[in-house]
Amino acid sequence: MRKLLCITAHPDDEAGAFGGALLVYHERGVETFVVCMTAGTAARNRGTAQSPDELAELRRAEFAASCRLLGVTRGEVLDYPDSKLDRVDLFQAVCDLALRIRQIRPHIILTFGPDGGLTGHVDHAMAGIFATLAFEWAGRPDRCPEQLEQNLKPHRVQKLYYHTADFHLPDRQPISQPTVTARIEIGAARFEKKVEAFRQHTTQAPLFERVRKNLGQRLGTVEMYHLAASSSPRDAKSETDLFEDVVDD
Ligand SMILES: [Zn+2]
């Protein structure tokens, strides 16, 4: 069984940034997993929540609903502080992600690049940096070795992709994006399903129009990715399938 792991920062990233790829690969029989690092409690839009704990509970439920629509096999929301991923302990965060990688044993990982994805959010950037180190460390017996005493084995993920795009959002901070190396055509029907998954995040309803505009007018039915690393050395090439050259185990 082929497996894909997506590592994100906030509930709604799985839909807004990666929803198309999650749908495409679910339909192709790939087991898909999402690990989201925060419960998104720093959001300006808070729905009916009266406290951070209530907002966390709402956003975890919205994340679960979005994952169901996207056909995600298993989604998990970790407890790292929203809007402060640049202040958390790097070793702890990377080992937490390496543990998930060693448990799930995915063939490929999708995450954000250090630019912070289209929006340039610092949490996106940090989630991607932690995920990049975890991609490397999970395969090495000398990193987070205490995990290997609990019946886990090192796991080498074959490919690491960053979310990217071939345009900027005009109303955001300047960012320098990873080069586009893969274009995944998701089609109009899956685009609508991706928007529908995003709309499960009802606490974020004031963002719906802005996001739809960003996604619809510029990205349309294509999601773009950057192959940042792979377990077998290779030259760069343009891909239309993130599982190209992936070897089944
Ligand atoms: Zn986000």
Side-chain angles (χ1 to χ4, degrees), residues 101-102 105-107 135 138-140 153-157 249:
I101 293 170
R102 287 167 169 174
R105 310 186 80 74
H107 295 81
F135 166 90
R140 294 176 49 156
K153 291 191 172 62
H155 176 69
R156 293 191 76 197
V157 181
D249 41 29

Side-chain angles (χ1 to χ4, degrees), residues 1 4-5 8-9 17 24 32-33 55 58 60 65 67 83 88 104 127 191 206-207 240:
M1 187 66 132
L4 176 159
L5 169 61
T8 68
V24 165
T32 58
F33 299 81
L55 183 58
L58 287 174
R60 284 171 187 276
C67 284
S83 271
V88 307
I104 294 166
F191 174 75
L207 296 179
T240 55

Side-chain angles (χ1 to χ4, degrees), residues 28 134 190:
R28 292 186 193 169
R190 284 192 209 93

Side-chain angles (χ1 to χ4, degrees), residues 76-106:
E76 183 184 11
V77 179
L78 306 183
D79 241 337
Y80 284 92
D82 188 12
S83 271
K84 295 199 182 84
L85 282 185
D86 54 343
R87 322 287 165 86
V88 307
D89 185 77
L90 179 134
F91 183 77
Q92 178 69 48
V94 176
C95 283
D96 268 354
L97 295 179
L99 176 67
R100 270 71 185 179
I101 293 170
R102 287 167 169 174
Q103 289 168 334
I104 294 166
R105 310 186 80 74

Side-chain angles (χ1 to χ4, degrees), residues 1-4 22 26 29-34 67-68 70-76:
M1 187 66 132
R2 291 187 156 185
K3 294 179 189 171
L4 176 159
L22 287 171
H26 165 68
V30 173
E31 273 193 299
T32 58
F33 299 81
V34 179
C67 284
R68 270 195 298 279
L70 296 170
V72 170
T73 303
R74 196 169 73 235
E76 183 184 11

Side-chain angles (χ1 to χ4, degrees), residues 34-237:
V34 179
V35 173
C36 173
M37 294 198 70
T38 82
T41 52
R44 201 172 312 144
N45 303 303
R46 309 184 70 81
T48 58
Q50 301 295 323
S51 68
D53 282 351
E54 277 184 39
L55 183 58
E57 200 177 316
L58 287 174
R59 297 206 70 181
R60 284 171 187 276
E62 292 169 354
F63 173 82
S66 167
C67 284
R68 270 195 298 279
L69 263 189
L70 296 170
V72 170
T73 303
R74 196 169 73 235
E76 183 184 11
V77 179
L78 306 183
D79 241 337
Y80 284 92
D82 188 12
S83 271
K84 295 199 182 84
L85 282 185
D86 54 343
R87 322 287 165 86
V88 307
D89 185 77
L90 179 134
F91 183 77
Q92 178 69 48
V94 176
C95 283
D96 268 354
L97 295 179
L99 176 67
R100 270 71 185 179
I101 293 170
R102 287 167 169 174
Q103 289 168 334
I104 294 166
R105 310 186 80 74
H107 295 81
I108 71 171
I109 289 180
L110 313 186
T111 189
F112 293 104
D115 60 318
L118 261 184
T119 61
H121 198 299
V122 68
D123 286 345
H124 297 171
M126 294 312 299
I129 288 166
F130 298 142
T132 301
L133 287 173
F135 166 90
E136 296 286 350
W137 291 13
R140 294 176 49 156
D142 63 340
R143 296 289 180 198
C144 319
E146 64 288 347
Q147 292 171 5
L148 305 176
E149 290 158 19
Q150 303 158 19
N151 248 337
L152 282 176
K153 291 191 172 62
H155 176 69
R156 293 191 76 197
V157 181
Q158 294 183 37
K159 295 165 100 179
L160 171 69
Y161 284 98
Y162 294 153
H163 178 273
T164 193
D166 60 2
F167 60 90
H168 289 142
L169 296 179
D171 54 347
R172 300 283 186 162
Q173 293 292 322
I175 54 169
S176 300
Q177 290 154 298
T179 51
V180 176
T181 67
R183 289 173 187 268
I184 307 303
E185 176 59 51
I186 66 171
R190 284 192 209 93
F191 174 75
E192 288 309 320
K193 209 162 177 187
K194 169 177 170 167
V195 172
E196 176 75 17
F198 193 86
R199 292 179 73 89
Q200 301 305 302
H201 297 275
T202 49
T203 57
Q204 306 308 303
L207 296 179
F208 287 171
E209 267 323 293
R210 187 179 182 190
V211 168
R212 195 189 165 91
K213 212 164 120 196
N214 286 342
L215 294 179
Q217 287 180 355
R218 310 300 299 270
L219 276 173
T221 62
V222 178
E223 277 183 10
M224 291 172 238
Y225 292 93
H226 169 80
L227 178 62
S230 63
S231 59
S232 56
R234 69 182 67 210
D235 281 5
K237 61 178 173 181

